[in-house]
Amino acid sequence: MSQHGHNASSATSSVASVAGTAKAAASSSAAGGHGGAARVQHVPVHGEYVWYAILGLLGVATIANAAYLAWATYRRYRSRRAPPKSTRRPSGRVALRRIPQAILSGSRIASYRLRIPYLEMTLLELTLVVLYFAGCLAWVLAPTDNIKPRVNLQPNNWALNAGKLAAGQIPLAVLLALKNNPVTWLTGLSHEKLVLMHRMVSRCIFVLTWMHLIGEYYRSPAKLLSANWKIAGLVGGVAQTITTLFGIQAIRRRYYEVFYSTHVACILIFIICIHIHAAPKKYDVFVWPAWIIWGFDRLVRGGRYLLLNVILKPKDPKARIESLGAHGLRVTIKRRIPGGWKAGQHVFLAFPKLGLESHPFTIGNVCEKDDNGEAEMVFIIRAMGGQTRKLNELAIPEGNCELTAFFDGPYGHPEDIRPYSTCVFIAGGTGVTYTIARMHQLFKDVRSSDACATRVNFVWAVRTEVEYHWLSAELSRIVALAPPSVSVAVEVYITGTRQATMESLPTLDKAFDLEKDGASWTQPEPVDRPNERVEEISGTAQGSGASTPTKDEYYESGTVTPITPCGDGLPGPRIVRRFCRPDVRKLLEEEITASSGAVAVDVSGPDGLVDAVRTALSQPFAGPLATLKGAPTVLLSVEQFRM
């Protein structure tokens, strides 16, 4: 009897040892009747396991980005070495050797172009969200003991697992929110795109945090607030709940300033409180990396801020703000920027006289340095409220004014379109600041034999001629620089009526990018337009600028009083103005069908326009079957900020 008790005690000790070390252990049977051995396996849940899956996904994205860069480099190298081939029309017969291209076309449609109704997410984004949440919940609720299979469903078990996984993902959430992001260097995804993943991880932490709190409550309500470190955990959970509620899209976009202020304060409270909460259980090892990552980013941004605005101080540190009428502003600054910037990137501008807040603005020109090493950056802004409204009020009395300005950047990672034979640029309103700079840079690359483009189609939709005049001179100048080897088509669609005067136009500000979220776009019906008028304009020299109204009638077709262009003799392709709405589907189908090689499509503007382009490029003419029959593959690049 005493021998049996000794063996049972030994088995209990062995199981306890297994639970602590996550290794298999054997328990001896009782003497006299139990000759078998029961093997117990206990698998503890560790927060770093989720990181293994994340690092694996990051590795796949890095490999894909490296493969794309290698292909782009090879394409440019071959275009310099080999003479251009004659245009070959698709044969219409299925070619099995084009299966890889067909798979690429199908995957791009399924992953990036198909949008889920009411969620404003692509299929790939939704898939990642579902898999990420499912993976985290699986780790929280997974069985850990083959003797007691349902122990994982007890609150004291899944509450602890949820808390550890939530703490383990805090560094990832901080990493994905950085402006200077190493993930961008590896994957080619810019910070404004990674912010979508940041929200996904943050909401997962939110769910796991409340699972932890609820589980601990059911485990022992009396002990929930029995110590200061437990109270700190509850305060952190409440702080994160507040910032999550303000982060809901409808609230975030309507009250962005409130969201931003509460987000900074509440996230700081959350991390501090979670650090205090995790320290007694030695789980603060998951929180320390968040402080290190955030501190490194602050150090890099602060150092670059001093370098660009103080150490490399320009001759004139002030920005010139010009009133263009109709609440439009042109902001011009000159700075010495080591390495310059890529066409399509953006910076954060701040005017100390108006406050310390800064907002993102897309640079509307390419980097061209003068003899002093300074480069001029031009921004087109439409005054809305807050800082931009104050700028407009300062500039209106004299037509212009000068203010000291500081900037941080450049940021953004535009797609490399140099390897593509056909490049299509589609913009609505102030989205043209992105596409016009991209087209200008492409022309420069073609002239230096560093790009493969042979066809370029530039489409810009505006509501009034006033908006067109803001950028007409710059557009004419850039079009006149088109290389002779490139076939260029430039079409400006004026979609509004003459009654839409500048006083009736809604005010908008690029700083908040609401012009890309509030406009409504509907595809034109394929009917004849007897009243449609077309004008051809040669190179002109006029004032530049842009704006973006956001009402539904933005894209209503109509007629306006024609203007008399002021030609200055600049050669180059003509700019065609059409007084109607563009048929995006027809335009893209014609370009893809006529292209002799891969096609790149850049779009920037309201959500409706972007969705119309996505829908068009999901049609059969750009699908995998068409690719098998000889149609080119299509790369779609979208420039849209999301608040």
Side-chain angles (χ1 to χ4, degrees), residues 50 129-141 165 204:
V50 175
V129 169
V130 172
L131 290 178
Y132 192 83
F133 270 81
C136 289
L137 291 177
W139 277 113
V140 170
L141 301 174
L165 286 181
C204 185

Side-chain angles (χ1 to χ4, degrees), residues 306-317:
L306 289 175
L307 175 66
L308 297 175
N309 296 285
V310 179
I311 299 175
L312 298 178
K313 188 175 181 179
K315 291 183 177 180
D316 185 3

